[in-house]
């Protein structure tokens, strides 16, 4: 391989423009050599604005001709599995955007392809690369919390329905608020918990505010074709009597948007956003907050790009492993099945 990892991007829409194209342009060990999109205007703008020499309308042709080492897949969700599997089978390493796939069967096929080819496969769960989440992981790893048995995941937007792309179409995205936004907080929570085995999932969801025109702080969305959920409430039981309660929304009537992961252990509790640790100490109830968190000025997208490049060049493992991304997909899928069936789903 060359000194630098030769990167191609499949899907040059919103997240490619705001995260992957700038982050891989900045990374000194990466060489951004090709872009691919089915929309000619979007493709031409990405190539021009980021000075990328090769452009393709078909990712298979790009994999064959561009001389790549690795690709970023940042297409709508229904293209994640086919574009990722084709890349792995072409001998390329892959950073695929979240969620892993539309459903667990697709995710398993992606994991199998990574195992078969021995290439790096990781996912754009950039919340793991936030300084607070990395600091929280150090606290958990220190054992300070004791045994964590209760976890609360909050991914609530008051009005933040994506107004671009294909986010409101179930057949393209696989779902709405949960598979798009809730997955970030769910993934980070599972990572902090050490990815315990889920045994049962119960959920309910709503398709109410998204189906009618309304005020949205993220612009006008296609409410007439809204076939996904705008809100989810879920209860997940794990092995060893560990419980998670999760609330997620793109739109709901609450006073303000909130994101947090809260872990309660036998010795102490931890809040991630903002970071604090609470416990009983010296005959007092105390809460500490950090005065300074290292990496506060590092962009999570840059950290994620470096993690991918380092795992290719160094031969190590990326922070987000495909088995963990598959677990997120299995839990989200069980939430959707539980909401539809009206009862708990055993895993
Ligand atoms: N990590 C994050 O925080 C984050 C944020 C936004 C989006 N995303 C994820 O990134 C993905 C893309 O989201 P977006 O907001 O950029 O959407 P987008 O609609 O703005 O961009 C997607 C692009 O993919 C292109 N595309 C579709 N099919 C293709 C194909 N077969 N080959 C090549 N290009 C193809 C589209 O033409 C479009 O330009 C989604 O999976 C989404 O969940 C992640």
């Amino acid at each position: 391989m060359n000194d630098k990892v030769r990167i191609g991007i499949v899907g040059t829409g919103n997240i490619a423009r705001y995260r992957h194209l700038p982050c891989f342009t900045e990374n000194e060990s990466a060489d951004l050599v090709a872009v691919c999109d089915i929309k000619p205007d979007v493709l031409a703008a990405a190539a021009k604005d980021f000075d990328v020499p090769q452009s393709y309308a078909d990712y298979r042709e790009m994999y064959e001709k561009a001389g790549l080492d690795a690709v970023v897949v940042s297409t709508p969700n229904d293209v994640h599995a086919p574009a990722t599997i084709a890349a792995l089978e072409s001998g390329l390493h892959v950073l695929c955007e979240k969620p892993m796939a539309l459903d667990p069967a697709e995710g398993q096929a992606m994991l199998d392809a990574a195992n078969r080819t021995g290439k790096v496969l990781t996912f754009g769960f950039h919340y793991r690369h936030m300084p607070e989440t990395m600091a929280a992981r150090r606290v958990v790893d220190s054992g300070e919390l004791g045994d964590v048995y209760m976890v609360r995941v909050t991914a609530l937007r008051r009005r933040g329905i994506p107004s671009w792309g294909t986010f409101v179409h179930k057949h393209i995205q696989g779902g709405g608020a949960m598979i798009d936004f809730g997955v970030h907080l769910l993934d980070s929570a599972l990572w902090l918990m050490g990815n315990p085995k889920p045994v049962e999932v119960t959920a309910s969801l709503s398709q109410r505010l998204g189906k009618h025109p309304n005020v949205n702080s993220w612009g006008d969305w296609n409410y007439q074709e809204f076939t996904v959920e705008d809100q989810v409430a879920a209860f997940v039981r794990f092995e060893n009597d560990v419980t998670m309660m999760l609330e997620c929304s793109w739109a709901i009537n609450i006073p303000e948007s909130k994101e947090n992961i809260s872990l309660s252990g036998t010795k102490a509790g931890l809040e991630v956003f903002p970071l604090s640790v609470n416990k009983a100490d010296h005959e007092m109830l105390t809460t500490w907050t950090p005065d300074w968190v290292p990496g506060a000025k590092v962009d999570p997208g840059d950290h994620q790009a470096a993690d991918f490049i380092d795992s290719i060049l160094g031969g190590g493992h990326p922070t987000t492993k495909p088995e963990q991304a598959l677990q997120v997909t299995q839990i989200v899928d069980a939430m959707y099945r539980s909401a539809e069936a009206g009862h708990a789903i055993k895993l």
Side-chain angles (χ1 to χ4, degrees), residues 145 263 267-271 276-280 286-288:
L145 304 185
L263 307 181
K267 292 187 191 158
L270 170 83
E271 306 294 304
S276 70
V277 174
N278 60 82
K279 55 182 155 177
T286 62
T287 299
W288 68 252

Side-chain angles (χ1 to χ4, degrees), residues 4-275:
K4 292 190 175 191
V5 178
R6 289 169 60 86
I7 301 269
I9 310 255
V10 187
T12 55
N14 178 65
I15 195 67
R17 281 196 81 80
Y18 294 105
R19 180 158 306 138
H20 304 300
L21 285 158
C23 292
F24 285 102
T25 300
E26 285 290 307
N27 189 298
E28 291 183 351
S29 301
D31 210 354
L32 198 49
V33 294
V35 280
C36 166
D37 203 293
I38 53 172
K39 291 185 189 152
D41 54 332
V42 174
L43 178 64
K48 178 171 172 284
D49 296 348
F50 292 90
D51 204 14
V52 186
Q54 302 184 48
S55 297
Y56 295 86
D58 177 356
Y59 61 77
R60 286 192 174 78
E61 191 186 344
M62 179 173 83
Y63 298 169
E64 201 183 308
K65 297 186 179 162
L68 302 173
D69 299 308
V71 291
V72 175
V73 175
S74 47
T75 60
N77 300 347
D78 63 338
V79 183
H80 288 189
T84 295
I85 293 169
L88 292 166
E89 288 180 342
S90 301
L92 307 177
H93 306 286
V94 181
L95 164 58
C96 177
E97 260 304 339
K98 49 52 57 174
M100 182 181 209
L102 295 178
D103 57 44
E106 279 192 350
Q108 185 66 54
M110 294 160 88
L111 173 59
D112 292 345
N115 288 339
R116 205 164 50 239
T117 59
K119 296 293 161 187
V120 173
L121 173 59
T122 189
F123 293 89
F125 283 118
H126 74 276
Y127 274 56
R128 291 196 192 195
H129 298 274
M130 291 181 175
E132 296 90 341
T133 320
M134 291 189 285
R137 176 69 190 231
R138 290 194 294 278
V139 174
V140 173
D141 286 349
S142 75
E144 190 171 346
L145 304 185
D147 294 330
V148 172
Y149 57 90
M150 179 66 213
V151 177
R152 293 161 219 87
V153 177
T154 311
L156 291 173
R157 285 188 204 146
R158 183 178 176 180
R159 290 292 191 284
I161 302 177
S163 54
W164 67 95
T166 53
F167 287 87
V168 302
H169 298 107
K170 175 97 176 165
H171 66 288
I172 298 175
Q173 294 295 108
M178 188 60 220
I179 202 166
D180 172 54
F181 170 43
V183 288
H184 276 304
L185 282 299
L186 172 61
D187 170 70
S188 286
L190 291 167
W191 182 54
L192 292 172
M193 295 161 75
N195 290 94
K197 186 178 168 356
V199 293
E200 190 183 272
V201 176
T202 311
S204 68
L205 58 78
S206 127
Q207 204 188 79
R208 291 181 171 86
L209 303 191
K211 286 188 79 68
H212 301 281
N214 202 321
V215 174
N216 187 32
S217 57
W218 289 28
D220 292 338
W221 76 99
N222 188 347
Y223 66 89
Q224 283 144 327
E225 292 181 19
F226 193 91
T227 50
V228 295
E229 81 286 358
D230 48 40
Q231 179 263 344
V232 171
F235 188 84
V236 186
R237 293 199 310 112
F238 296 85
E239 271 183 352
N240 300 321
D241 284 333
V242 176
T243 303
M244 174 188 286
M245 283 167 64
L246 176 146
E247 254 202 288
C248 167
S249 66
W250 272 347
I252 192 164
N253 287 321
I254 47 172
E256 59 184 9
S257 299
K258 283 184 212 159
E259 293 181 19
N260 191 25
I261 298 165
S262 166
L263 307 181
S264 296
T266 48
K267 292 187 191 158
L270 170 83
E271 306 294 304
V272 180
F273 301 114
L275 193 64

